[in-house]
Amino acid sequence: MTKEEALKTYFGYDAFRGGQEPVINALLSGRDALAIMPTGAGKSVCYQIPALLLPGITLVVSPLVSLMRDQVTQLVQMGVPAAFLNSSLTFKQYLLALSRAKEGRYQIIYVAPERLETEGFLDFACHANISLVAVDEAHCISQWGQDFRPSYLNIPAFLEKLSRRPPLGAFTATATPEVREDIEKLLGLQDPLRVTTGFDRKNLYFEVREPADKRLELLELVRSRPDQCGIVYCSTRKAVEEVCGLLQEAGVSATRYHAGLEPEERQRNQEDFLYDRARVMVATNAFGMGIDKSDVRYVIHYNMPKDIESYYQEAGRAGRDGLPSNCILLYSGRDVRTAQFLIEHGESREELDAETAERLRERDMQRLRKMVGYCRTRYCLRQYILQYFGETAPDTCGTCWNCLHNFEEVDVSREARAILRCVIETGQHFGVSVIAETLCGAETDKVRKYHMDEEDTYGLLRDLTQKEVRDRIRFLIDEGVLALSPGPYPVVLLGERAEDAVLGGLYMRTVKEERPAARRPIPEELDGAQAELFGRLRALRAQLARRQGVPAYAVFSDKTLRELAVVRPRTIDELRSVSGIGDAKARRYGKQFLAELSAFED
């Protein structure tokens, strides 16, 4: 069987996506490979196809139980013998799976990195014919990655203990150039093929909002999408509880996920979301890695993440099927303080010396500043993300909120001089809000407490709103005219470019005119008959999924059902021509779907 035949037979696709084929060719020829591909770009196919064609076993090192379970479920649906070995199995289940592995009954085995050093698994691995090792989420091996896991450092030692070193493939969705170098060095990749397909997900629409009331904004966003699946990310367990309760009280079918829940509830809630029993998942960043639910139409960040890597990975869980999907971040200054607190008081890294731990903390702070920059930029959001990951990008994408709105360059030199004067006059002792209140002539408790109403700059910018002044202060911070002190309660300081405010000529981008219809254009909707048929096919899919105890998307994706509703195949052969329908699925579900299509025609 060729790789093209395997792709069609098992996955139901006629052609490889960008970057997949060279990685597959390298691994099949025995060469190591490093693949950087965004979420939803098909990284798993890069090692699953070689696993089907190579004679022995492929080991996939993966960090999360949910990732393994989901991948194995889909492989079994496609007719591929696969299993996972991790802590979710009872000891008896683990021994049974290991025994079957020794008998050669699996082509692909997913394993947690911690398992590599156990005596029983090592004994199996040293006697098995391992033809390929794939390391998923490879950024976890780097201390400079956003999700460092010390257990990943044991992978090279495990490979040395094997009787023969198989080719090694390393895969990740988010890695800066520095992290890529770390992956290659620490895993000991030998003359690897390096493939970076690009981080751009053209089907995703990006937007940052700064609402006065996040709760109301979130309710509006979710209620406007009643039939869509979505994920709402929060930065803390407490926020997850509050937001999930808010949605449930509003009649939204929502569930929750965070590390403070019992494992049984986490598993149950995750399955409710995967099986469409709950339309919205409210979660911390503990949820989502490896969850291959293809029909997530929106990801809303209720709180700003700590770094661009985390944001893009989490946002990328929308639209994995390639259909238009929304990524919306609800930003507030409080998010910055929360993120700073989590960095300062996060999990202790006992395995690191004090100097390294401090360097990592400072690196986390640098990442946070980049994340804040994303939330504040008036320029193309897509360009900001792509440039962060080392890619060149056009000035405008035409599909993010910033590009779809009409901006103008406004001279803020007058306001900048007033702000600078206020900061100097008050001794560089106050935060953004107090400076804005003072300049706008507000009569607040803090203004009275600190006698700010006695300053010469009190009310100097009363022609602007406090939000407009805060926006200008943040612009000056981004430009280096001002700076913020470190710590949980930052105060406004003079920046390296403070003299620029005196010289003038400072221009800030502001929204000139709102365009109510400015949203990412949705492709043509299915017509009346097609939409009705699509609904019937979804109902059939749900029925078959419940009967087999698998998520609906493991039967067919929404994209496949839409194509079925348009093409309306009449035979099994015609059915196989539809994207996403391989031989195993055609045999398993073909008759039922053809019968439904035929009944609709009648």
Side-chain angles (χ1 to χ4, degrees):
M1 181 181 289
T2 66
K3 60 180 183 293
E4 291 82 8
E5 290 170 340
L7 183 70
K8 183 61 179 175
T9 299
Y10 290 99
F11 297 88
Y13 299 133
D14 293 318
F16 290 105
R17 296 185 190 177
Q20 288 180 331
E21 194 166 9
V23 175
I24 291 169
N25 289 339
L27 295 176
L28 285 174
S29 69
R31 185 182 177 188
D32 290 355
L34 171 60
I36 316 293
M37 298 178 173
T39 301
K43 293 186 296 297
S44 58
V45 170
C46 292
Y47 55 80
Q48 288 171 352
I49 291 290
L52 294 169
L53 301 179
L54 292 169
I57 297 169
T58 290
L59 291 183
V60 182
V61 181
S62 182
L64 287 183
V65 170
S66 55
L67 182 149
M68 303 185 205
R69 186 186 300 275
D70 195 62
Q71 292 275 336
V72 169
T73 296
Q74 295 198 61
L75 286 168
V76 171
Q77 283 287 303
M78 293 187 294
V80 179
F84 57 80
L85 300 172
N86 57 41
S87 59
S88 71
L89 301 176
T90 65
F91 185 63
K92 187 175 180 180
Q93 289 172 328
Y94 174 74
L95 290 179
L96 177 60
L98 196 58
S99 173
R100 290 177 174 173
K102 290 178 180 178
E103 295 170 5
R105 295 173 62 172
Y106 304 124
Q107 287 180 280
I108 304 179
I109 299 175
Y110 286 76
V111 60
E114 296 81 5
R115 188 70 55 179
L116 300 178
E117 295 299 305
T118 61
E119 185 178 345
F121 185 81
L122 264 175
D123 179 68
F124 152 71
C126 290
H127 293 89
N129 178 20
I130 297 176
S131 54
L132 173 64
V133 174
V135 180
D136 207 2
E137 309 298 339
H139 62 270
C140 293
I141 200 170
S142 172
Q143 291 182 353
W144 311 117
Q146 79 275 15
D147 192 23
F148 173 56
R149 295 179 184 237
S151 57
Y152 264 62
L153 295 171
N154 298 326
I155 295 174
F158 166 76
L159 291 171
E160 289 179 5
K161 294 173 183 176
L162 301 180
S163 58
R164 178 186 61 85
R165 183 193 184 278
L168 181 62
F171 301 87
T172 182
T174 52
T176 60
E178 184 178 30
V179 171
R180 294 176 217 177
E181 291 179 14
D182 238 8
I183 293 170
E184 190 171 330
K185 176 183 175 183
L186 294 173
L187 280 178
L189 296 177
Q190 300 174 3
D191 184 32
L193 171 74
R194 302 174 185 88
V195 172
T196 301
T197 60
F199 292 89
D200 195 5
R201 295 275 305 283
K202 296 186 184 301
N203 63 310
L204 298 183
Y205 162 85
F206 292 97
E207 178 177 355
V208 177
R209 299 187 183 186
E210 192 174 356
D213 189 326
K214 282 192 180 184
R215 292 163 61 89
L216 294 178
E217 192 80 12
L218 178 66
L219 281 174
E220 179 188 334
L221 286 168
V222 173
R223 281 172 167 167
S224 66
R225 299 163 170 82
D227 299 321
Q228 295 181 357
C229 289
I231 302 173
V232 178
Y233 278 110
C234 303
S235 60
T236 65
R237 300 175 186 180
K238 180 182 178 182
V240 168
E241 296 290 342
E242 293 175 352
V243 169
C244 186
L246 170 72
L247 294 178
Q248 289 175 341
E249 289 173 10
V252 176
S253 173
T255 189
R256 59 184 182 165
Y257 190 105
H258 60 72
L261 301 176
E262 292 296 323
E264 295 77 12
E265 183 182 351
R266 286 204 305 271
Q267 183 63 31
R268 182 173 65 252
N269 293 350
Q270 177 174 295
E271 290 182 355
D272 283 346
F273 180 65
L274 293 178
Y275 289 72
D276 292 336
R277 294 190 289 267
R279 304 297 289 176
V280 180
M281 172 61 80
V282 184
T284 61
N285 61 5
F287 175 80
M289 188 180 287
I291 300 300
D292 192 19
K293 185 172 173 61
S294 61
D295 61 343
V296 174
R297 292 277 74 87
Y298 62 89
V299 171
I300 298 171
H301 279 80
Y302 191 75
N303 304 111
M304 181 193 72
K306 293 185 294 182
D307 49 63
I308 295 288
E309 290 94 335
S310 299
Y311 175 69
Y312 198 52
Q313 189 171 64
E314 291 159 12
R317 285 161 193 153
R320 292 174 67 99
D321 55 8
L323 296 179
S325 302
N326 294 314
C327 306
I328 301 172
L329 194 161
L330 305 182
Y331 171 78
S332 73
R334 181 177 297 177
D335 292 338
V336 183
R337 294 189 290 275
T338 299
Q340 288 174 333
F341 179 85
L342 292 173
I343 291 172
E344 295 283 355
H345 304 281
E347 293 183 12
S348 61
R349 293 162 168 168
E350 297 178 358
E351 72 281 359
L352 304 177
D353 60 72
E355 183 180 350
T356 303
E358 176 59 25
R359 286 170 59 202
L360 289 177
R361 189 199 67 80
E362 179 53 35
R363 181 60 58 88
D364 289 344
M365 285 297 187
Q366 289 177 13
R367 286 203 190 94
L368 175 58
R369 288 191 280 272
K370 287 289 187 180
M371 186 72 243
V372 173
Y374 172 83
C375 295
R376 293 176 177 170
T377 185
R378 296 290 190 176
Y379 295 90
C380 177
L381 294 171
R382 192 181 305 275
Q383 182 197 51
Y384 191 100
I385 291 172
L386 295 180
Q387 287 185 341
Y388 178 82
F389 289 114
E391 288 191 22
T392 57
D395 292 338
T396 61
C397 68
T399 53
C400 73
W401 191 93
N402 286 4
C403 289
L404 286 169
H405 284 71
N406 193 9
F407 286 91
E408 63 178 344
E409 300 284 342
V410 175
D411 188 345
V412 293
S413 301
R414 175 185 72 89
E415 296 98 311
R417 284 191 288 270
I419 292 167
L420 199 68
R421 181 180 165 192
C422 184
V423 171
I424 295 171
E425 207 172 66
T426 55
Q428 303 182 71
H429 293 314
F430 298 98
V432 172
S433 295
V434 174
I435 295 296
E437 290 170 1
T438 301
L439 287 164
C440 289
E443 298 179 4
T444 63
D445 291 340
K446 285 186 178 180
V447 166
R448 286 189 290 269
K449 177 181 177 181
Y450 298 115
H451 306 290
M452 306 295 277
D453 51 351
E454 298 175 9
E455 301 290 347
D456 291 341
T457 50
Y458 180 74
L460 200 59
L461 297 179
R462 63 174 71 250
D463 56 314
L464 300 177
T465 66
Q466 289 185 40
K467 182 182 183 306
E468 288 173 331
V469 175
R470 288 197 300 270
D471 286 344
R472 282 152 176 75
I473 293 173
R474 288 168 183 152
F475 164 73
L476 295 175
I477 292 171
D478 293 339
E479 292 295 309
V481 173
L482 297 174
L484 289 176
S485 67
Y489 303 104
V491 300
V492 182
L493 308 172
L494 298 183
E496 294 179 355
R497 297 182 56 204
E499 291 183 2
D500 289 1
V502 179
L503 297 174
L506 289 171
Y507 289 84
M508 171 182 164
R509 274 190 127 206
T510 60
V511 178
K512 181 178 181 181
E513 175 188 351
E514 289 291 337
R515 296 178 183 173
R519 286 292 185 270
R520 178 177 178 83
I522 302 297
E524 289 185 26
E525 296 291 335
L526 299 177
D527 63 28
Q530 291 171 344
E532 181 184 349
L533 177 55
F534 176 67
R536 288 175 59 165
L537 294 176
R538 288 191 69 185
L540 173 60
R541 179 183 66 176
Q543 178 186 343
L544 294 172
R546 283 194 298 271
R547 189 181 303 165
Q548 294 196 71
V550 299
Y553 63 82
V555 177
F556 291 135
S557 68
D558 275 6
K559 187 175 183 180
T560 297
L561 294 188
R562 289 169 67 93
E563 190 171 336
L564 284 172
V566 174
V567 177
R568 301 186 192 182
R570 297 175 180 271
T571 67
I572 289 290
D573 285 341
E574 290 179 0
L575 194 76
R576 285 195 186 96
S577 69
V578 173
S579 178
I581 303 182
D583 288 357
K585 289 190 177 183
R587 288 193 300 270
R588 183 171 293 171
Y589 306 119
K591 290 183 180 179
Q592 296 96 318
F593 277 90
L594 288 174
E596 187 67 36
L597 290 165
S598 177
F600 185 80
E601 296 288 350
D602 295 341

